[in-house]
């Protein structure tokens, strides 16, 4: 037995994460880039955008093309023929983001502008 | 009031059992070590229950917010926070853990922690962090049992200032970890964590040479900045019974100096608790 043992699950939550209905804006260039990136993937594939702890500003964006997650707790946003999914736990952080795509040799790729971010890292991948 | 410097600090008596009421948190779920490591200056490796690690959490400009002791427990990781209030960075951890079914729980009511000296009679079960304090003569006892020992009426602030502990004056994003006795926990190899960019730049271009020292003197000094022949000291805590903490320039050496007729003893705090 440890200090807390199985009784840990009976402890009160220290932090509750707010869940909101997510609305995001996807620019035309980002829509084209999503379609191109997912052209080899079947209809069951989705783009998951998430915010993980870490990075130099506290949170780190992550984007993955995966099979549609089975578990509950995701919100779906249709973008043309494709679907973007965002976990409920990230909903308050990612609500209102603008997803853009820049086709440049340096610093190009998907870019996220986040109205919830007080600060962001120079690389554009971390925010807080 | 003039006192004898040698007699200052005599309030730390045998049998001390000082309760620490700062918050305690349980992180439970898969990958807790990885999630905590993603915001800490040092990687937290998985360890058997009962092992103790230390995390240091900084803000994006590299200043210290918290430096919790981490107890590896069967239920998860128990964080013994050094900040007075539940820290905001727990939201980021909760977000990650909850996606995998984990959570961040308040363990303050079930975990007791106290500072004890070696003479304290309470030897009951629990986890002991040994050799803390400037002389290494104190320990932290963590237990789910509050024990029988009567709590000491010594003030935490006095104990921390006398023995090299961190208080609200050290934390809250005011100082770099290297300035407050936490250099050993800054590991740039841990990758990208809040403040890492600043720490890496300092490490390569302008390493931090200032250090945390304890000031002990015969009477409270009026000025918060001491200028000695060897360098400056910035006193940033209040004086509590003739003890305070300061950040000293590299050249300042340990020992007793005389400042305007007052004897001032300077002692480096190598590892703050």
């Amino acid at each position: 037995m440890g200090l807390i043992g199985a009784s840990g699950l009976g402890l009160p939550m220290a932090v509750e994460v707010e869940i909101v209905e997510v609305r995001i804006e996807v620019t035309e260039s980002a829509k084209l880039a999503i379609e191109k990136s997912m052209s080899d993937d079947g209809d069951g594939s989705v783009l998951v955008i998430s915010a993980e702890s870490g990075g130099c500003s506290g949170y780190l964006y992550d984007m993955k093309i995966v099979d549609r997650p089975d578990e509950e707790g995701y919100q779906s946003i249709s973008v043309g023929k494709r679907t973007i999914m965002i976990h409920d736990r990230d909903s308050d952080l990612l609500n209102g983001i603008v997803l853009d795509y820049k086709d440049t040799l340096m610093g190009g790729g998907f870019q996220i502008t986040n109205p919830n971010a007080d600060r962001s890292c120079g690389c554009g991948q971390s925010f807080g | 009031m003039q006192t004898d410097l040698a007699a200052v600090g005599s309030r730390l008596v045998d049998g001390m059992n000082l309760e620490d009421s700062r918050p305690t948190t349980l992180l439970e779920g898969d990958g807790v070590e990885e999630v905590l490591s993603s915001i800490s200056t040092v990687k937290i490796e998985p360890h058997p229950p009962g092992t103790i690690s230390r995390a240091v959490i900084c803000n994006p400009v590299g200043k210290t917010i918290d430096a919790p002791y981490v107890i590896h427990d069967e239920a998860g990781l128990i964080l013994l926070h050094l900040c007075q209030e539940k820290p905001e960075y727990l939201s980021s951890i909760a977000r990650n853990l909850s996606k995998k079914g984990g959570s961040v729980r308040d363990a303050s009511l079930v975990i007791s922690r106290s500072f004890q000296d070696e003479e304290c009679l309470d030897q009951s079960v629990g986890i002991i962090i040994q050799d803390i304090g400037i002389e290494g003569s104190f320990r932290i006892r963590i237990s789910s049992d509050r024990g029988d020992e009567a709590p000491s009426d010594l003030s935490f602030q006095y104990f921390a200032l006398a023995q090299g502990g961190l208080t609200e004056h050290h934390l809250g994003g005011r100082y770099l970890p290297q300035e407050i006795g936490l250099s050993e926990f800054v590991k740039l190899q841990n990758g990208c964590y809040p403040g890492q960019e600043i720490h890496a730049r300092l490490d390569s271009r302008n390493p931090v040479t200032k250090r945390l020292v304890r000031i002990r003197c015969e009477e409270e000094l009026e000025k918060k900045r001491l200028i000695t022949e060897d360098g400056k000291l910035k006193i940033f805590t209040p004086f509590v019974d003739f003890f305070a903490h300061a950040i000293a320039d590299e050249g300042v050496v340990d020992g007793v100096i005389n400042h305007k007729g007052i004897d001032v003893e300077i002692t480096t705090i190598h590892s703050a608790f």
Side-chain angles (χ1 to χ4, degrees), chain A residues 29-127:
Chain A
S29 60
K31 283 178 189 171
L32 288 172
I34 290 170
E35 194 53 53
K36 191 174 170 187
S37 302
M38 298 178 73
S39 58
D40 294 335
D41 298 293
D43 290 343
S45 296
V46 297
L47 174 66
V48 173
I49 305 178
S50 59
E52 307 293 334
S53 62
C56 28
S57 295
Y59 290 102
L60 207 55
Y61 295 116
D62 193 24
M63 292 174 71
K64 285 179 190 157
I65 296 170
V66 297
D67 291 337
R68 182 181 286 271
D70 289 334
E71 65 262 42
E72 292 180 351
Y74 281 90
Q75 298 184 32
S76 299
I77 300 132
S78 292
V79 178
K81 295 175 187 170
R82 296 294 178 177
T83 302
I84 293 176
M85 296 186 81
I86 290 176
H87 201 287
D88 278 342
R89 304 297 180 181
D90 294 331
S91 59
D92 62 329
L93 279 181
L94 299 181
N95 184 31
I97 60 169
V98 178
L99 182 64
D100 191 15
Y101 184 84
K102 290 210 168 89
D103 188 11
T104 56
L105 287 176
M106 289 185 71
F110 286 103
Q111 318 259 311
I112 294 176
T113 306
N114 191 339
N116 307 300
D118 295 328
R119 57 185 177 267
S120 60
C121 177
C123 66
Q125 292 180 13
S126 182
F127 70 102

